[in-house]
Amino acid sequence: MVTIKDISKRCGFSTSTVSKALNNSLEIGQETTAIIRKTALEMGYLPNTAARSLKTNRSNNLGVLFIDEMQSGLSHEYFSGVINSFKVEAERLGYDITFISHNIGNMQMSYYDHSVYRKCDGVVIACVDFSDPAVVELIHSEIPTVTIDHIFNDCTAILSDNLTGAKDLVHHIYEYGHRKIAFIHGENTSVTKRRLAGFHKACDALGIKVPDEYIKAARYHDPRSSGLATRELLNLPDPPTCIMYPDDFSFIGGMNEIEKHSLTIPDDISVVGYDGIYLSQVLRPKLSTFKQNTEALGKEAAAHLVESIVDKKTYLPKQIWIAGELWIGDSVKNLNFE
Amino acid sequence: MVTIKDISKRCGFSTSTVSKALNNSLEIGQETTAIIRKTALEMGYLPNTAARSLKTNRSNNLGVLFIDEMQSGLSHEYFSGVINSFKVEAERLGYDITFISHNIGNMQMSYYDHSVYRKCDGVVIACVDFSDPAVVELIHSEIPTVTIDHIFNDCTAILSDNLTGAKDLVHHIYEYGHRKIAFIHGENTSVTKRRLAGFHKACDALGIKVPDEYIKAARYHDPRSSGLATRELLNLPDPPTCIMYPDDFSFIGGMNEIEKHSLTIPDDISVVGYDGIYLSQVLRPKLSTFKQNTEALGKEAAAHLVESIVDKKTYLPKQIWIAGELWIGDSVKNLNFE
DNA sequence: TTGTATGCGTTATCAT
DNA sequence: ATGATAACGCATACAA
């Protein structure tokens, strides 16, 4: 391990001069800086992050906290898309990422503790249940945080535009002639609230009456609960002609249930998903869905988190809305040509 | 931040005693240890990883290096499955994970440099192209490494049993009456070599002759190239009755091509995938495939990597083979009842 | 503009 | 069994 001391010896400047030069300090003469940087490069110098971190209390490390209730981990395509994009942007900005979780070894610790333990300069939080006290503790701590899809006071939020998403879907379905639209929603989170609001707003605007029994609760990313909800909807005396699902993945549960009823999509029943995961585009019929821009979500999250770290004194929390895109597939029957 | 010093003051023992007690050193009396650990807990002490790492040259941090040529990142379900399982086991053993990559900020560094920079105690490597010199450099360095699906001398390898996988698929296809089996394979890696070997061995054993034009090269996780290969196969004067794909994901390219030819799976053409990703099970017809045990792969990788770190002196590199499982779907037509 | 000295929090060596 | 002290590599306050 070549250290600042080694460089210092090699080129005859003191360690502090070397240190300053390597940090592009303006105190040091240009020529000196050049020499020092050159020898550092030649010697293959790498800063010792531990020493630097000990001294500066910064780690160039960003924490990533994500938990979904289904424990899908990285196989949750929406989250993994966001995280991957977050990682790319974080690395571009000079940060590594560390996953934050409860238990490390036999140490039980809170998310906050883990973040402190790893000296994360900031943490991005994406999860379904933002009411978890451990999550709240972290958000209200002195550690800069950015949330995905949830608004906290004094914390920047990167938000997928769920209101518009739900609206756009309803409008699309309406344009195809449907008037009996059911909505299976996920856990009662702010995401769900906004989607429900978008759904009802659009229905109101279009003059569609939605019977209470057309609104069913299920869970995100859980085909089973969406399957059950689907069954209830199909068994209704006056069933809907189109079902909106919590997400593309959950729709699979509905799909199986629809198959069991010997119904065909979209001829007997229309459906739409949400997310625009890869799967949605290779199913037959292709699923109509609302594509969330995971790439932009992750990138913005990293950019704002880093900004809030660097400009800690002046940074003001923001809410960044990320637009999505309606993807029209073949899962909604066009009733206009009947 | 509560430090050892704070604990030392509070309970009247020296910092070194406290340090030893917290590390369960046998030098310290049981009673003393108990007192110290209790106050540490009360005060909410968390070790400072930077200081510890600076002193011990260990970080309790494992590097994860994964690169696929298609840049799919975490959306590559096979890798993300392995990594997620790796992460879970690593955390259980007291390690955090850090992603290793080339550029961090404006620093260009090799994978090895990055691993050193982050003081990784060990690195797990999963990628398509193990011939990359930067990967080889890391593997041959003093940093303990474990590879996934590739064997290097003096480096533990966790290997999915691709030979058996290909064999099992061929046998299944054969049992369903097929004799004209084509194989679209991925890049020329050791994984591909083993699958090809398994394919040919099985065909030989079953007395199947495989014309050269039934073997097509494509790329893993790349629907486009598999689509092209599929087209070539379908346009053959004597086309195969069953096509084996590099992986489930790539199969989608073949599926589209088959659709374009107005052929139906499995009535006109049978297919099998590889991997057993979620997608394969919700396609209609359900894809017959070989499920790789990503969970076991990740877990074993973490366990062996940690073992090689802890028992650095005595550890001997191993090769761990992980069995998979044939998943029979509906994508291979049973010709026996024709 | 450059150099000297100090301390971040921890562990390890050595002495008691 | 416990304590004093040094050192890990770096950044910085201060001196020159």
Side-chain angles (χ1 to χ4, degrees):
Chain A
M1 270 290 314
V2 31
T3 71
I4 277 190
K5 216 170 176 177
D6 299 325
I7 302 176
S8 152
K9 273 184 207 147
R10 174 80 77 97
C11 57
F13 292 101
S14 74
T15 57
S16 56
T17 303
V18 172
S19 171
K20 285 169 190 165
L22 291 177
N23 288 308
N24 282 318
S25 165
L26 299 174
E27 294 180 41
I28 306 300
Q30 293 208 345
E31 203 173 334
T32 313
T33 303
I35 297 173
I36 290 175
R37 296 186 72 82
K38 184 159 164 289
T39 47
L41 203 63
E42 281 171 11
M43 299 177 76
Y45 170 75
L46 286 177
N48 184 318
T49 48
R52 174 180 285 174
S53 166
L54 181 58
K55 188 68 188 160
T56 62
N57 258 318
R58 305 217 17 251
S59 64
N60 279 277
N61 215 356
L62 301 181
V64 173
L65 173 57
F66 77 108
I67 10 166
D68 72 313
E69 305 214 318
M70 300 311 297
Q71 317 278 11
S72 336
L74 288 172
S75 74
H76 197 304
E77 197 172 324
Y78 175 66
F79 286 153
S80 77
V82 173
I83 291 168
N84 197 58
S85 158
F86 179 88
K87 165 179 179 287
V88 169
E89 179 69 2
E91 284 174 353
R92 205 181 64 76
L93 297 170
Y95 290 79
D96 283 307
I97 69 172
T98 291
F99 287 112
I100 298 303
S101 73
H102 267 119
N103 316 307
I104 288 295
N106 29 28
M107 286 183 282
Q108 280 252 2
M109 45 177 131
S110 69
Y111 298 136
Y112 170 70
D113 284 347
H114 192 178
S115 307
V116 170
Y117 176 66
R118 279 299 170 187
K119 296 209 166 315
C120 295
D121 296 335
V123 181
V124 62
I125 308 177
C127 53
V128 169
D129 182 16
F130 276 95
S131 67
D132 182 344
V135 172
V136 175
E137 176 197 21
L138 174 56
I139 286 172
H140 290 151
S141 74
E142 78 286 357
I143 299 175
T145 47
V146 163
T147 53
I148 307 272
D149 284 339
H150 191 94
I151 298 178
F152 275 95
N153 197 22
D154 293 331
C155 178
T156 286
I158 315 293
L159 303 138
S160 189
D161 190 353
N162 286 288
L163 193 90
T164 307
K167 264 190 185 171
D168 285 2
L169 285 167
V170 171
H171 279 275
H172 167 59
I173 295 165
Y174 179 88
E175 278 168 21
Y176 272 33
H178 294 262
R179 298 297 180 267
K180 299 197 278 184
I181 309 174
F183 188 64
I184 302 177
H185 61 78
E187 290 92 336
N188 182 26
T189 63
S190 60
V191 165
T192 304
K193 286 194 188 98
R194 292 193 68 86
R195 288 197 199 163
L196 269 169
F199 174 79
H200 282 121
K201 267 195 186 175
C203 288
D204 284 357
L206 297 167
I208 299 178
K209 282 223 184 71
V210 184
D212 285 350
E213 60 268 26
Y214 277 14
I215 307 292
K216 292 283 175 200
R219 309 180 69 183
Y220 287 111
H221 219 250
D222 177 31
R224 207 187 49 81
S225 62
S226 276
L228 292 176
T230 302
R231 184 184 306 172
E232 292 176 18
L233 288 170
L234 296 179
N235 290 338
L236 243 36
D238 184 26
T241 62
C242 183
I243 303 177
M244 294 173 59
Y245 283 89
D247 51 70
D248 299 342
F249 190 86
S250 307
F251 156 69
I252 301 302
M255 186 181 85
N256 289 328
E257 195 62 30
I258 289 168
E259 281 177 1
K260 272 189 209 150
H261 279 71
S262 305
L263 299 177
T264 305
I265 301 171
D267 289 332
D268 303 316
I269 177 89
S270 296
V271 296
V272 302
Y274 207 100
D275 275 357
I277 63 176
Y278 184 79
L279 168 63
S280 68
Q281 298 310 294
V282 300
L283 285 174
R284 295 294 175 268
K286 198 190 280 184
L287 191 60
S288 292
T289 186
F290 192 84
K291 166 66 177 174
Q292 303 203 68
N293 192 343
T294 53
E295 194 129 341
L297 283 158
K299 182 174 176 173
E300 290 297 319
H304 281 87
L305 185 52
V306 169
E307 192 191 330
S308 79
I309 291 165
V310 176
D311 306 333
K312 207 162 184 174
K313 302 294 171 199
T314 64
Y315 184 84
L316 288 176
K318 299 180 183 64
Q319 285 150 29
I320 316 286
W321 294 92
I322 306 289
E325 195 181 343
L326 181 68
W327 278 4
I328 298 180
D330 310 306
S331 65
V332 179
K333 187 179 186 182
N334 194 332
L335 302 175
N336 298 315
F337 304 128
E338 289 278 286
Chain B
M1 270 287 317
V2 32
T3 71
I4 279 191
K5 218 170 175 177
D6 300 324
I7 303 175
S8 153
K9 273 183 206 148
R10 174 80 78 96
C11 58
F13 292 103
S14 75
T15 56
S16 44
T17 303
V18 172
S19 170
K20 285 169 190 163
L22 291 177
N23 288 306
N24 282 318
S25 165
L26 299 173
E27 293 180 42
I28 308 299
Q30 294 209 345
E31 203 172 334
T32 313
T33 303
I35 297 173
I36 290 174
R37 298 186 70 82
K38 185 158 162 290
T39 47
L41 202 62
E42 280 170 12
M43 300 178 75
Y45 170 76
L46 285 178
N48 182 317
T49 48
R52 176 181 285 175
S53 167
L54 181 58
K55 189 67 189 161
T56 62
N57 258 317
R58 304 217 16 249
S59 64
N60 278 276
N61 214 357
L62 302 181
V64 172
L65 173 57
F66 78 108
I67 10 166
D68 73 311
E69 306 214 321
M70 299 312 296
Q71 316 279 13
S72 339
L74 288 171
S75 73
H76 197 304
E77 196 172 325
Y78 175 67
F79 285 154
S80 78
V82 172
I83 291 169
N84 197 57
S85 159
F86 179 87
K87 165 179 179 286
V88 168
E89 180 69 3
E91 284 173 353
R92 205 181 64 76
L93 297 170
Y95 291 79
D96 283 307
I97 70 173
T98 290
F99 288 113
I100 298 303
S101 73
H102 267 119
N103 316 305
I104 287 295
N106 31 26
M107 284 184 282
Q108 280 253 2
M109 47 176 130
S110 68
Y111 298 136
Y112 170 70
D113 284 347
H114 192 177
S115 308
V116 170
Y117 177 67
R118 279 299 169 187
K119 294 211 166 313
C120 295
D121 296 335
V123 181
V124 63
I125 307 176
C127 51
V128 168
D129 182 15
F130 275 95
S131 67
D132 182 345
V135 172
V136 175
E137 176 197 20
L138 174 57
I139 287 171
H140 289 151
S141 73
E142 78 286 358
I143 300 175
T145 48
V146 163
T147 52
I148 307 274
D149 284 339
H150 191 96
I151 298 178
F152 276 95
N153 198 24
D154 292 331
C155 177
T156 287
I158 315 294
L159 303 137
S160 189
D161 190 352
N162 286 288
L163 193 90
T164 307
K167 262 189 184 171
D168 285 3
L169 284 167
V170 171
H171 278 276
H172 166 58
I173 295 165
Y174 179 88
E175 278 168 20
Y176 272 33
H178 294 261
R179 299 297 179 266
K180 298 196 279 185
I181 308 173
F183 188 63
I184 302 177
H185 61 78
E187 290 91 334
N188 183 27
T189 63
S190 60
V191 166
T192 304
K193 287 195 187 99
R194 291 192 70 85
R195 289 198 197 159
L196 269 169
F199 174 80
H200 282 122
K201 266 193 186 174
C203 287
D204 284 357
L206 297 167
I208 298 179
K209 281 222 182 71
V210 185
D212 286 349
E213 61 269 26
Y214 277 14
I215 307 292
K216 292 283 175 200
R219 308 181 68 181
Y220 287 112
H221 219 251
D222 176 33
R224 206 187 50 81
S225 62
S226 275
L228 291 176
T230 303
R231 183 185 306 174
E232 293 175 17
L233 289 170
L234 295 179
N235 290 338
L236 245 35
D238 184 26
T241 62
C242 182
I243 303 177
M244 295 175 60
Y245 284 89
D247 50 70
D248 300 342
F249 190 87
S250 306
F251 156 68
I252 300 302
M255 186 181 86
N256 288 329
E257 195 62 32
I258 289 168
E259 282 178 1
K260 274 189 209 152
H261 279 70
S262 305
L263 299 177
T264 305
I265 301 171
D267 288 332
D268 303 316
I269 177 89
S270 294
V271 296
V272 302
Y274 207 100
D275 275 357
I277 62 176
Y278 184 79
L279 167 65
S280 68
Q281 298 310 292
V282 300
L283 285 174
R284 293 296 176 269
K286 197 190 281 182
L287 191 60
S288 292
T289 187
F290 192 84
K291 166 66 177 171
Q292 303 204 69
N293 192 343
T294 53
E295 194 131 340
L297 283 158
K299 181 174 177 173
E300 290 296 320
H304 282 87
L305 185 52
V306 168
E307 193 191 331
S308 78
I309 291 165
V310 175
D311 306 333
K312 207 162 183 173
K313 303 292 171 201
T314 64
Y315 183 85
L316 287 176
K318 298 181 184 64
Q319 283 151 31
I320 316 286
W321 294 93
I322 306 289
E325 198 181 339
L326 181 67
W327 277 4
I328 298 179
D330 310 308
S331 64
V332 178
K333 186 179 187 182
N334 194 330
L335 302 174
N336 299 315
F337 304 127
E338 291 278 286

